Amino acid sequence: MAVDSPLQSRMSSPTTSEKDVKALKFIEEMTRNPDSVQEKVLGEILSRNSDTEYLKRFGLNGSVDRKTFKSKVPVVTYEDLKPEIQRISNGDRSPILSSHPITEFLTSSGTSAGERKLMPTIEEDLDRRQLLYSLLMPVMNLYVPGLDKGKGLYFLFVKSESKTSGGLPARPVLTSYYKSDHFKRRPYDPYNVYTSPNEAILCPDSSQSMYAQMLCGLLMRHDVLRLGAVFASGLLRAISFLQNNWKELARDISTGTLSSRIFDPAIKNRMSKILTKPDQELAEFLTEVCSQENWEGIITKIWPNTKYLDVIVTGAMAQYIPTLEYYSGGLPMACTMYASSESYFGINLKPMCKPSEVSYTIMPNMAYFEFLPHNYDGDGAPEASLEETALVELADVEVGKEYELVITTYAGLCRYRVGDILRVTGFHNSAPQFKFIRRKNVLLSIESDKTDEAELQKAVENASRLFAEQGTRVIEYTSYAETKTIPGHYVIYWELLGRDQTNSLPSDEVMAKCCLEMEESLNSVYRQSRVADKSIGPLEIRVVQNGTFEELMDYAISRGASINQYKVPRCVSFTPIMELLDSRVVSTHFSPSLPHWSPERRR
């Protein structure tokens, strides 16, 4: 017997618009029988790509059924596909992965050999992404009424892009979307009105863009019903910008003239139509509020009608929740969708839930999804190999179990391991809902950066060579992502041992060079975040007393760890361990300058 879903029962409300009803009905249709949708999606992908070099290699001979596909086509990682992607990047236009032309590459936050991964995309993928975006507000309107009566203050930015040697654009997925006609020429929708003009969002200079977006948000402060950014860290960076620049912003508002720091012609022209006259009352209010030392609840003081924050606070972003609660006075935080450069995946059907309860419903029309059971007991137990594990269909996953996401896309990725670890929390109709647990193998992350253990190890090795000649060496290390500062930064704890067991340390100058050398050794996503986006602060090394890591082991053993199996954690977050490490610090050092980074890709 069919049971009405919560969405279906709300659709009958007389306050739900016809447009919203249509979107909600689509969600219901997609989730009633996701297995049949998945069968259709895979059939479409295999049929249209049957003549590609990649699928021909595995002898499908035109077969579009799941059994043949899964028995003949292997599960792969980026490294497996790198030769094909490199050929496309170099200008080969033959149907290698997709029968449709690859129009651009979306740069992933994951890296390969220190460079961003390139995800092939085709023109129609923009339509699929737009479709998922169109479902967000109809769901939100079920929980937060009246969002058509005001505006959203969203801090949105484009990032640096490049072209491959074959002439294809290579850029982040959101930069691609913001520069598309889907965004720039979007039809008017009272539920999706932003305070930020397109000219500010599309400005490649992040400082000018931030200034203009903040100024617009202040001028329209009573119209703002929701604040947002892509990541929680991005919204905190906006608050930090306001802390550092409110006097100049107040001066612009007071005089009705735009700061000379804005020199982008498009922004200047657009702002001349927004900042049209002095507003002494607003300037005085801003000065009174921002000059106070205590900024607790500053968001609701400046934007009093804000109903929620629209930011990603799952996964690595969860570390920013306490700081956001402090600045917002405890406003709800909505995580609305789950997406990546490879594909957009799903939406949160209960967007006003607590951050710890966020689950995403996978939309089965976006791609073909499989799930690799993830056997992890918290103590580093090995996972089952692919040969030992059968991948599970979307409709067959089990509540409470964790899986690694594997996708097959219209653009030609086949059985590709995304690297996201998800836990099944329940079902909407017959479609599973997942909680994002973490990125596989990621140790450190401040924003879009992802640094794994191998990268960190290599960076430590490279930096330690700077004092190897004097006989000093790093005998142990660990790390953590410091997010109490804005922007956040990497902290590396080193225990050093000098020649002849002495405790003489390298000079401050040498240690500062070590910090910079570590940054130079990290991947291009990290370095772009430092140099261009300024979303990560200088790397810090904290040297601890000799014997500190033995104390760390003693503490772990006292809590039940096996002395035979104990390994120094390469990343820490447990408060007592952090306190122990910080109590043993004998010197601190910061990177003295920015690492090298260029938007041009290595050929």
Side-chain angles (χ1 to χ4, degrees):
M1 179 179 177
V3 178
D4 282 355
S5 76
L7 283 191
Q8 194 162 34
S9 61
R10 287 172 180 252
M11 275 193 284
S12 59
S13 169
T15 60
T16 306
S17 71
E18 183 178 339
K19 180 181 177 183
D20 284 3
V21 168
K22 183 179 179 181
L24 298 173
K25 281 184 176 178
F26 177 78
I27 294 172
E28 291 298 285
E29 290 169 6
M30 289 295 103
T31 57
R32 284 289 182 198
N33 191 352
D35 196 53
S36 66
V37 177
Q38 283 281 275
E39 187 172 31
K40 179 183 177 184
V41 166
L42 181 63
E44 289 176 351
I45 292 172
L46 295 181
S47 177
R48 65 155 62 178
N49 290 333
S50 61
D51 288 332
T52 60
E53 177 185 320
Y54 188 77
L55 285 182
K56 280 184 173 180
R57 185 182 305 165
F58 301 109
L60 268 73
N61 298 320
S63 297
V64 297
D65 64 285
R66 282 187 276 199
K67 184 177 180 181
T68 304
F69 173 69
K70 296 176 82 165
S71 66
K72 294 195 172 187
V73 179
V75 177
V76 296
T77 65
Y78 185 81
E79 297 305 317
D80 297 318
L81 295 179
K82 200 170 181 180
E84 286 78 17
I85 289 173
Q86 192 62 54
R87 284 172 55 199
I88 301 170
S89 170
N90 291 341
D92 190 334
R93 298 293 180 262
S94 62
I96 298 172
L97 296 176
S98 170
S99 61
H100 286 216
I102 301 300
T103 53
E104 64 180 325
F105 284 108
L106 301 180
T107 53
S108 169
S109 57
T111 58
S112 172
E115 293 293 314
R116 285 183 183 267
K117 296 177 181 177
L118 296 175
M119 297 299 161
T121 188
I122 57 179
E123 189 171 358
E124 69 180 53
D125 282 340
L126 270 170
D127 297 328
R128 266 182 285 276
R129 291 194 282 273
Q130 181 59 42
L131 172 61
L132 203 65
Y133 282 128
S134 73
L135 304 177
L136 302 182
M137 288 311 295
V139 172
M140 183 62 76
N141 291 336
L142 298 176
Y143 295 89
V144 185
L147 291 175
D148 57 332
K149 304 295 189 272
K151 301 179 179 182
L153 170 51
Y154 283 78
F155 295 97
L156 307 176
F157 304 91
V158 295
K159 295 194 175 185
S160 298
E161 60 179 272
S162 62
K163 283 192 179 294
T164 68
S165 58
L168 289 175
R171 54 195 178 185
V173 61
L174 290 176
T175 296
S176 170
Y177 178 68
Y178 298 149
K179 289 188 174 184
S180 73
D181 286 343
H182 284 74
F183 180 81
K184 291 191 293 185
R185 299 183 181 178
R186 61 195 184 277
Y188 174 77
D189 179 352
Y191 291 97
N192 265 316
V193 178
Y194 299 141
T195 56
S196 299
N198 284 358
E199 292 83 354
I201 294 171
L202 295 172
C203 177
D205 184 327
S206 61
S207 178
Q208 292 186 72
S209 176
M210 177 73 86
Y211 192 92
Q213 292 190 60
M214 183 63 75
L215 182 57
C216 290
L218 294 171
L219 291 169
M220 305 176 208
R221 75 184 193 93
H222 289 295
D223 296 328
V224 172
L225 299 183
R226 60 195 195 275
L227 258 76
V230 178
F231 294 113
S233 55
L235 187 52
L236 289 176
R237 202 160 65 250
I239 297 301
S240 177
F241 184 89
L242 180 61
Q243 285 180 311
N244 294 326
N245 295 278
W246 65 264
K247 291 181 181 178
E248 189 173 357
L249 289 159
R251 187 163 57 247
D252 286 6
I253 294 169
S254 174
T255 61
T257 57
L258 190 61
S259 167
S260 60
R261 72 155 64 191
I262 302 297
F263 52 85
D264 180 272
I267 295 183
K268 287 180 70 174
N269 181 57
R270 188 72 181 90
M271 291 303 296
S272 69
K273 298 176 177 63
I274 297 173
L275 183 64
T276 57
K277 60 183 179 180
D279 189 338
Q280 192 61 38
E281 184 180 349
L282 175 56
E284 290 175 0
F285 165 79
L286 192 62
T287 299
E288 179 185 354
V289 171
C290 293
S291 60
Q292 297 175 12
E293 284 191 18
N294 183 1
W295 272 46
E296 185 174 1
I298 191 70
I299 289 175
T300 47
K301 289 176 183 176
I302 296 178
W303 298 283
N305 299 317
T306 307
K307 298 186 177 186
Y308 65 92
L309 307 180
D310 189 348
V311 286
I312 294 173
V313 288
T314 52
M317 291 297 112
Q319 59 194 327
Y320 298 104
I321 292 172
T323 311
L324 279 176
E325 288 177 335
Y326 172 82
Y327 285 123
S328 72
L331 283 174
M333 301 174 203
C335 295
T336 56
M337 66 184 292
Y338 171 38
S340 76
S341 301
E342 293 89 342
S343 175
Y344 280 23
F345 304 127
I347 58 177
N348 182 4
L349 297 180
K350 296 180 179 178
M352 300 306 285
C353 68
K354 296 177 182 178
S356 60
E357 298 172 356
V358 171
S359 290
Y360 301 101
T361 302
I362 298 291
M363 294 301 292
N365 59 307
M366 300 304 293
Y368 176 63
F369 300 100
E370 297 176 85
F371 298 87
L372 177 62
H374 184 71
N375 303 318
Y376 181 74
D377 62 9
D379 293 320
E383 302 170 37
S385 68
L386 279 173
E387 290 74 19
E388 300 168 336
T389 308
L391 271 67
V392 180
E393 297 287 342
L394 176 65
D396 296 332
V397 296
E398 298 179 40
V399 172
K401 291 192 175 181
E402 293 186 5
Y403 301 88
E404 181 183 348
L405 181 60
V406 178
I407 62 169
T408 297
T409 69
Y410 286 89
L413 296 178
C414 287
R415 311 196 80 189
Y416 178 83
R417 298 177 69 169
V418 175
D420 288 358
I421 306 301
L422 310 175
R423 180 184 300 139
V424 185
T425 58
F427 286 81
H428 177 78
N429 294 324
S430 298
Q433 297 176 305
F434 295 90
K435 178 177 182 177
F436 179 88
I437 301 301
R438 61 185 174 87
R439 284 285 295 176
K440 191 176 180 183
N441 300 328
V442 172
L443 277 186
L444 292 169
S445 179
I446 297 293
E447 192 181 59
S448 59
D449 55 299
K450 295 175 176 66
T451 298
D452 62 26
E453 185 169 342
E455 286 180 300
L456 184 61
Q457 173 71 30
K458 185 67 174 175
V460 170
E461 289 174 356
N462 289 346
S464 63
R465 292 193 185 105
L466 296 178
F467 48 67
E469 286 187 6
Q470 71 181 62
T472 302
R473 56 193 176 92
V474 179
I475 58 172
E476 205 51 270
Y477 71 91
T478 191
S479 64
Y480 86 99
E482 168 60 85
T483 56
K484 292 186 177 65
T485 59
I486 302 174
H489 67 283
Y490 288 9
V491 175
I492 316 297
Y493 293 96
W494 277 6
E495 185 173 327
L496 303 177
L497 186 64
R499 181 180 284 126
D500 302 325
Q501 307 294 306
T502 63
N503 292 326
S504 59
L505 300 176
S507 67
D508 289 343
E509 181 183 0
V510 170
M511 290 303 300
K513 288 181 179 178
C514 287
C515 294
L516 181 57
E517 180 59 34
M518 283 199 69
E519 293 197 298
E520 294 284 9
S521 302
L522 295 174
N523 61 64
S524 63
V525 180
Y526 173 90
R527 287 180 282 114
Q528 178 179 344
S529 298
R530 278 279 283 127
V531 177
D533 305 336
K534 297 179 173 58
S535 58
I536 300 179
L539 182 143
E540 177 185 3
I541 292 177
R542 298 179 186 175
V543 179
V544 297
Q545 297 172 4
N546 287 97
T548 297
F549 280 86
E550 283 193 21
E551 291 185 62
L552 202 63
M553 181 179 70
D554 291 341
Y555 178 79
I557 291 170
S558 74
R559 289 175 52 83
S562 166
I563 191 169
N564 294 318
Q565 295 181 311
Y566 176 78
K567 294 186 294 185
V568 173
R570 291 308 180 204
C571 183
V572 294
S573 58
F574 188 45
T575 300
I577 291 179
M578 313 270 297
E579 290 174 346
L580 188 157
L581 288 165
D582 283 333
S583 70
R584 303 295 190 272
V585 171
V586 295
S587 64
T588 59
H589 313 272
F590 289 88
S591 187
S593 58
L594 294 171
H596 174 266
W597 176 81
S598 167
E600 295 302 316
R601 293 186 59 83
R602 290 203 290 259
R603 298 292 186 255

